Amino acid sequence: MTEKMNIGLLGFGTVGTGVLQIVRDHQDKLVHQVGCPIEISKILVNDLDKDRGISIEPGMLTLEADDILEDPAIDVVIEVMGGTGDARAYIRKALENGKHVVTANKDVMAEHGSELLTLANETGTDLYYEASVAGGIPILRTLVEGLASDRITKMMGIVNGTTNYILTKMTKEGRLYEEVLQEAKALGYAEADPTADVEGIDAARKISILGTLGFSMNLDLDDVEVTGMTKVTSEDIQYADQLGYTMKLIGIANRCEDKVEVSVEPTLMPNEHPLSSVDDEFNAVYVYGEAVGETMYYGAGAGKFPTATSIVSDLVAVLRNKRLGVNGQSLVIPQFDKKLKTDEEIFSKYFMRIHAKDLPGTFANLTAIFGECDISLEKILQVPLNEGRLAEIIVVTHGVSRKNYKEVLQKLNETDAVVEVKSNYRVEGVMKR
Amino acid sequence: MTEKMNIGLLGFGTVGTGVLQIVRDHQDKLVHQVGCPIEISKILVNDLDKDRGISIEPGMLTLEADDILEDPAIDVVIEVMGGTGDARAYIRKALENGKHVVTANKDVMAEHGSELLTLANETGTDLYYEASVAGGIPILRTLVEGLASDRITKMMGIVNGTTNYILTKMTKEGRLYEEVLQEAKALGYAEADPTADVEGIDAARKISILGTLGFSMNLDLDDVEVTGMTKVTSEDIQYADQLGYTMKLIGIANRCEDKVEVSVEPTLMPNEHPLSSVDDEFNAVYVYGEAVGETMYYGAGAGKFPTATSIVSDLVAVLRNKRLGVNGQSLVIPQFDKKLKTDEEIFSKYFMRIHAKDLPGTFANLTAIFGECDISLEKILQVPLNEGRLAEIIVVTHGVSRKNYKEVLQKLNETDAVVEVKSNYRVEGVMKR
């Protein structure tokens, strides 16, 4: 039996305590897998006295990051602080000092991943970050290893548990956004400030990480077209249901030839699509590969133990590499230069809910506008509103370019007969088999 | 750029041609990933002249296995012949000659996996077999790597596409087993002799492989309690539906403390369970880990390109190992000795459909028998049959031991009031969150 491996932990919140607990509880399995005992020997905290409900040996906690980053006895650093300021600096320092790093930090990886992975490569260290996307689902190694031989053309992910919880409750219980959001906060599924979740920023970070790996192309957060889910109404969800769709906040990454598009937006998923039945706080990532076809990976997207499992599995990988003497070899430099599709090259179906004056000729008028923009319609639903003074018209288009779609939205809004385009969403199809 | 890697292919049927095609079509990506060109240089066939619809360079095909197994220029052998006779011998010889092996052969791995993996370990070679379970789903590396740090307690898999296709059609279209089986044969989803599929043998091989990896314990095909799906009737499926369940052929591997049970059987899955909506020829593996909770992996279970993708991804892994000089290091010897649960230790709910004489006191009589066997009932449904001379009684039990379940079946069959226990199935629950 080799000497034990010493691990430093940066941050000791929910996930950090989960990591400590798994390393302790599953020590037997870990020893069996990596060939030596693993010990979390030092933990960076910002309060030495806080009770975290877990036993701590004296001297384990420190307020000084350098007690970990500069300690030659520490082999691997696990970063679970979150944020991008200190976390990025500490990860850099750890890598520069020859320590391997495992992080759960999607913010850092979405914004500085390329820089940090290059640094790890230069210093011969490992930087693993499975837990940064879809906590308990080992999706990153699936993209890098399991589907290594295939050409991935599409990824769609429900990668934010908070918004999926809210949308599920709105859909299944017919409840209002604000009400469910409050409940989600009370249950700990939503943070006090839920902006990053409900505005789609969190999902955008994750889809940019997925896109980078799946398409072998450096994609940044800025490349993601983001629409949050705060404007989704119960009416939208009900109409979607009538038409056979379920509303989900979907991170989408599409590749066609050498160009890609990446977005996060509320999307109508056909009820036959496997993503449509991913409910509550669960996450799932759907991957389409040219050869493998449709695959989907489902599990808890966050939470203490699911996230900690991914982190400790990464730790196992790092320590196996260490045993074999092959740390710092896992970086695959992106194969392709980034090329984003233009609005002319992005095609999708769309759902629009339009309030129009209920007058003779209105519908013909609208149809003409769609025709001018070269858009044909797949589904149309019209219901009277306000005692017949208004008509609510719901359409689902056939596939159109985003350019034509933006054009028709503008024209509709400029038309006298149209009072308002109440809402509009992307619509996904089902893969033909 | 390093010299090219030469690969030998044993077998050139559907999957073999898929492998050749992927290696050719995705050559750029493969070169980028492994750092050198990959070439399938020799292929073992049993007919040199057959047209396989793919271009072959002269001299590529051979009738002699040794042209591959004894060729020092060949680095890796891909075995896609199937069967256990020659395949096992060829894999052994390849490993003995220092060649790495990638196989899609579940029969060989289920029956001789332990022997072959040990041999690979002794000869410092790699033996990868991702494609042997659930073709396009990278489930084996998920168990070994992604969930490396967790303690897996339950796996359930829809791991046979043929039977899932048949059950889906019976369920959704109300059709008869025989009719759908014929259709499946015509479509190529079922083989001319479908015995291994419909009797659950194929699924049993796969669940024994999953159990071995997930529980780190050598499980053989003989350890799997197998019940096929040939006796499932439309009536059973309809009653299941009325009670909120979907009938699936499920491979189950359960662990409790240090003991396991492994079975394949037609099982009633609650409609809320993610496996219940895995339809048609698709496969899925559901894994429950103590820390990670519920996860599920979904995709094509068979077919030319999904299977070939898994094989070529394994090939990439082997060639990366070769570049790093770490072949033959991936075997993790099972951590635990095999301990199977006894019938007293296996608990489940069960569905029973009973035909009884419709006389006063019959139901009380049955209730008494369940009581004697210490079985309480969760759901009861009774309908008259044959103009009231018979009663069809459907019960779903609470959790009972398999011992008590077998006992009640025997007692029911010996009771005068019971004409016949028409069918009986295992019933799964939904994990409490």
Side-chain angles (χ1 to χ4, degrees):
Chain A
M1 181 72 60
T2 340
E3 258 183 284
K4 75 175 173 15
M5 290 283 174
N6 289 299
I7 316 297
L9 195 56
L10 303 174
F12 202 37
T14 309
V15 174
T17 52
V19 169
L20 179 58
Q21 217 164 314
I22 288 186
V23 168
R24 285 179 178 171
D25 291 356
H26 295 186
Q27 185 67 216
D28 278 1
K29 178 165 182 181
L30 297 174
V31 168
H32 183 78
Q33 295 199 305
V34 305
C36 69
I38 298 178
E39 187 181 316
I40 307 278
S41 46
K42 250 175 234 171
I43 304 175
L44 176 67
V45 296
N46 45 31
D47 178 352
L48 292 174
D49 301 316
K50 188 173 162 188
D51 178 14
R52 294 168 179 91
I54 187 166
S55 72
I56 304 291
E57 283 106 66
M60 234 174 134
L61 303 185
T62 175
L63 297 167
E64 296 299 327
D66 279 350
D67 285 350
I68 292 172
L69 303 175
E70 300 286 358
D71 182 348
I74 286 182
D75 302 288
V76 184
V77 170
I78 294 174
E79 185 274 309
V80 285
M81 306 160 45
T84 52
D86 287 348
R88 176 189 180 194
Y90 294 166
I91 291 173
R92 281 197 66 93
K93 194 163 188 181
L95 297 173
E96 282 162 356
N97 287 347
K99 298 182 194 314
H100 312 295
V101 173
V102 174
T103 177
N105 195 321
K106 59 191 170 291
D107 307 21
V108 159
M109 290 312 296
E111 286 169 41
H112 311 289
S114 166
E115 164 206 323
L116 296 172
L117 289 164
T118 305
L119 176 59
N121 193 241
E122 288 163 8
T123 57
T125 51
D126 281 342
L127 172 56
Y128 278 60
Y129 53 104
E130 181 68 74
S132 66
V133 179
I137 310 173
I139 182 66
L140 303 190
R141 42 169 58 71
T142 296
L143 292 178
V144 174
E145 295 170 12
L147 303 175
S149 68
D150 202 1
R151 201 178 284 134
I152 294 167
T153 56
K154 180 162 199 162
M155 289 177 278
M156 291 197 288
I158 295 177
V159 285
N160 180 275
T162 305
T163 48
N164 202 44
Y165 178 85
I166 295 173
L167 285 171
T168 301
K169 293 292 165 189
M170 288 175 71
T171 303
K172 303 232 156 166
E173 301 172 10
R175 291 161 65 195
L176 294 176
Y177 169 69
E178 269 302 333
E179 184 194 326
V180 182
L181 176 60
Q182 295 315 319
E183 179 187 283
K185 284 185 191 177
L187 289 169
Y189 291 155
E191 297 185 42
D193 176 3
T195 313
D197 292 324
V198 299
E199 295 297 352
I201 314 298
D202 176 80
R205 290 192 179 112
K206 291 164 180 169
I207 195 75
S208 78
I209 295 173
L210 290 175
T212 296
L213 285 177
F215 297 157
S216 198
M217 183 183 290
N218 266 324
L219 295 169
D220 305 316
L221 187 54
D222 291 343
D223 301 323
V224 188
E225 180 116 358
V226 186
T227 310
M229 52 74 69
T230 55
K231 288 175 188 151
V232 173
T233 66
S234 304
E235 288 79 12
D236 296 330
I237 289 175
Q238 281 163 26
Y239 282 121
D241 183 51
Q242 279 186 43
L243 296 168
Y245 299 104
T246 304
M247 179 82 72
K248 294 289 181 192
L249 185 70
I250 303 279
I252 298 176
N254 266 327
R255 169 160 66 178
C256 186
E257 305 289 337
D258 57 346
K259 288 188 161 187
V260 304
E261 57 159 307
V262 200
S263 72
V264 169
E265 52 197 304
T267 303
L268 271 54
M269 299 301 298
N271 289 341
E272 303 78 44
H273 195 286
L275 282 173
S276 73
S277 48
V278 174
D279 285 335
D280 300 320
E281 75 281 17
F282 277 85
N283 280 20
V285 179
Y286 168 99
V287 180
Y288 189 89
E290 279 181 2
V292 79
E294 297 187 278
T295 63
M296 190 178 85
Y297 311 91
Y298 167 97
K304 181 176 182 175
F305 290 117
T307 308
T309 303
S310 278
I311 292 170
V312 183
S313 295
D314 273 355
L315 179 61
V316 167
V318 169
L319 296 178
R320 280 182 183 161
N321 286 347
K322 197 171 155 68
R323 190 189 64 194
L324 300 173
V326 295
N327 292 115
Q329 305 284 326
S330 57
L331 180 70
V332 176
I333 304 280
Q335 188 178 357
F336 304 105
D337 291 335
K338 177 165 73 183
K339 286 191 195 160
L340 297 175
K341 291 189 204 172
T342 63
D343 277 359
E344 281 92 340
E345 295 168 318
I346 296 174
F347 284 83
S348 181
K349 297 177 177 194
Y350 291 94
F351 165 105
M352 280 176 255
R353 181 157 71 93
I354 303 160
H355 280 191
K357 294 173 189 160
D358 201 356
L359 297 172
T362 292
F363 197 78
N365 201 337
L366 295 191
T367 317
I369 295 174
F370 281 105
E372 283 165 31
C373 299
D374 216 14
I375 296 175
S376 61
L377 302 178
E378 182 184 296
K379 292 176 184 174
I380 301 167
L381 189 70
Q382 176 167 353
V383 290
L385 278 188
N386 282 38
E387 297 164 354
R389 278 168 298 152
L390 278 184
E392 181 151 71
I393 299 170
I394 287 90
V395 302
V396 176
T397 69
H398 282 291
V400 302
S401 73
R402 190 187 279 170
K403 176 172 171 291
N404 288 6
Y405 170 61
K406 285 181 176 171
E407 193 181 311
V408 87
L409 279 178
Q410 193 184 339
K411 285 197 178 180
L412 287 170
N413 278 319
E414 287 166 356
T415 301
D416 271 353
V418 172
V419 178
E420 191 183 1
V421 178
K422 293 291 286 184
S423 56
N424 50 293
Y425 302 104
R426 183 175 182 130
V427 175
E428 280 294 318
V430 177
M431 284 289 166
K432 286 185 195 72
R433 286 166 198 165
Chain B
M1 181 73 58
T2 339
E3 259 183 283
K4 75 174 177 357
M5 290 285 175
N6 289 299
I7 315 297
L9 195 56
L10 303 174
F12 202 37
T14 310
V15 173
T17 50
V19 169
L20 178 59
Q21 215 165 318
I22 289 185
V23 168
R24 285 179 178 172
D25 291 356
H26 295 186
Q27 186 68 216
D28 277 1
K29 178 167 182 180
L30 297 174
V31 168
H32 183 77
Q33 294 201 307
V34 305
C36 68
I38 298 177
E39 187 181 318
I40 307 277
S41 47
K42 250 176 235 168
I43 304 175
L44 175 68
V45 295
N46 44 32
D47 178 351
L48 291 173
D49 301 316
K50 187 174 164 188
D51 179 13
R52 294 170 180 90
I54 187 166
S55 72
I56 304 290
E57 284 105 68
M60 234 174 135
L61 302 186
T62 174
L63 297 168
E64 295 300 327
D66 278 351
D67 285 350
I68 292 171
L69 302 175
E70 299 286 357
D71 181 348
I74 286 183
D75 303 290
V76 184
V77 170
I78 295 174
E79 185 274 309
V80 285
M81 305 160 46
T84 53
D86 287 348
R88 176 190 179 193
Y90 295 166
I91 292 173
R92 282 197 66 94
K93 192 161 189 181
L95 297 172
E96 282 162 355
N97 287 347
K99 299 182 194 314
H100 312 294
V101 173
V102 174
T103 177
N105 194 321
K106 60 192 169 294
D107 305 21
V108 159
M109 291 311 295
E111 286 168 42
H112 311 289
S114 167
E115 165 206 323
L116 295 172
L117 289 164
T118 305
L119 176 60
N121 192 241
E122 287 164 8
T123 56
T125 51
D126 280 342
L127 170 58
Y128 278 58
Y129 53 104
E130 182 67 75
S132 66
V133 179
I137 311 173
I139 182 65
L140 302 190
R141 41 168 59 72
T142 297
L143 291 178
V144 174
E145 296 169 12
L147 302 174
S149 68
D150 202 0
R151 201 178 284 135
I152 294 166
T153 56
K154 181 163 200 161
M155 289 178 279
M156 292 197 287
I158 295 176
V159 285
N160 180 274
T162 306
T163 48
N164 202 43
Y165 177 85
I166 295 173
L167 285 172
T168 301
K169 294 292 167 191
M170 289 175 71
T171 302
K172 303 231 157 165
E173 300 172 11
R175 292 161 64 197
L176 295 176
Y177 169 70
E178 269 303 332
E179 182 194 329
V180 183
L181 176 61
Q182 294 315 321
E183 180 187 283
K185 284 185 190 176
L187 289 169
Y189 291 156
E191 298 185 41
D193 176 2
T195 313
D197 291 325
V198 299
E199 294 298 352
I201 313 298
D202 176 80
R205 291 192 179 112
K206 292 164 180 169
I207 195 75
S208 78
I209 295 174
L210 291 175
T212 295
L213 285 176
F215 296 157
S216 198
M217 184 184 290
N218 265 325
L219 294 169
D220 306 317
L221 187 54
D222 291 343
D223 300 324
V224 188
E225 179 116 357
V226 186
T227 309
M229 52 74 69
T230 54
K231 289 175 187 150
V232 173
T233 66
S234 304
E235 288 80 11
D236 295 330
I237 289 175
Q238 281 164 26
Y239 282 121
D241 183 52
Q242 279 186 43
L243 296 167
Y245 298 104
T246 304
M247 180 81 73
K248 293 289 180 190
L249 185 69
I250 304 278
I252 298 177
N254 265 326
R255 169 160 67 177
C256 187
E257 304 290 336
D258 57 347
K259 289 188 161 186
V260 304
E261 56 160 308
V262 200
S263 72
V264 170
E265 51 197 304
T267 303
L268 271 55
M269 300 302 298
N271 289 340
E272 303 77 44
H273 196 285
L275 282 174
S276 73
S277 47
V278 174
D279 286 335
D280 301 318
E281 75 282 16
F282 277 86
N283 279 21
V285 180
Y286 168 98
V287 180
Y288 189 89
E290 279 181 2
V292 80
E294 298 186 278
T295 63
M296 191 177 85
Y297 311 91
Y298 167 97
K304 180 176 183 175
F305 290 117
T307 308
T309 303
S310 278
I311 291 170
V312 183
S313 294
D314 273 354
L315 179 62
V316 168
V318 169
L319 296 177
R320 280 181 183 162
N321 287 346
K322 196 170 156 69
R323 191 188 63 194
L324 300 173
V326 295
N327 292 114
Q329 304 284 326
S330 57
L331 180 71
V332 177
I333 304 281
Q335 188 178 359
F336 304 106
D337 291 334
K338 177 164 73 184
K339 286 190 196 163
L340 298 174
K341 291 190 203 171
T342 63
D343 278 359
E344 281 92 341
E345 295 168 316
I346 296 175
F347 284 82
S348 182
K349 298 177 175 191
Y350 291 95
F351 165 105
M352 279 175 257
R353 182 159 69 95
I354 302 161
H355 281 190
K357 295 172 187 158
D358 200 357
L359 298 172
T362 291
F363 198 78
N365 200 337
L366 295 190
T367 317
I369 294 174
F370 282 103
E372 282 166 30
C373 299
D374 217 14
I375 296 175
S376 61
L377 302 178
E378 185 184 294
K379 291 176 184 173
I380 301 168
L381 189 69
Q382 177 168 351
V383 289
L385 278 187
N386 282 39
E387 296 164 356
R389 278 168 297 152
L390 279 184
E392 182 151 71
I393 299 170
I394 286 91
V395 301
V396 176
T397 69
H398 282 290
V400 302
S401 73
R402 189 186 279 170
K403 176 172 172 291
N404 288 6
Y405 170 61
K406 285 182 176 170
E407 194 181 310
V408 86
L409 279 177
Q410 192 184 339
K411 285 197 178 182
L412 287 170
N413 278 318
E414 288 165 356
T415 302
D416 271 352
V418 171
V419 178
E420 190 183 3
V421 178
K422 293 291 286 185
S423 57
N424 50 292
Y425 302 104
R426 184 176 180 129
V427 175
E428 280 294 317
V430 177
M431 284 288 166
K432 287 185 195 72
R433 289 167 195 163

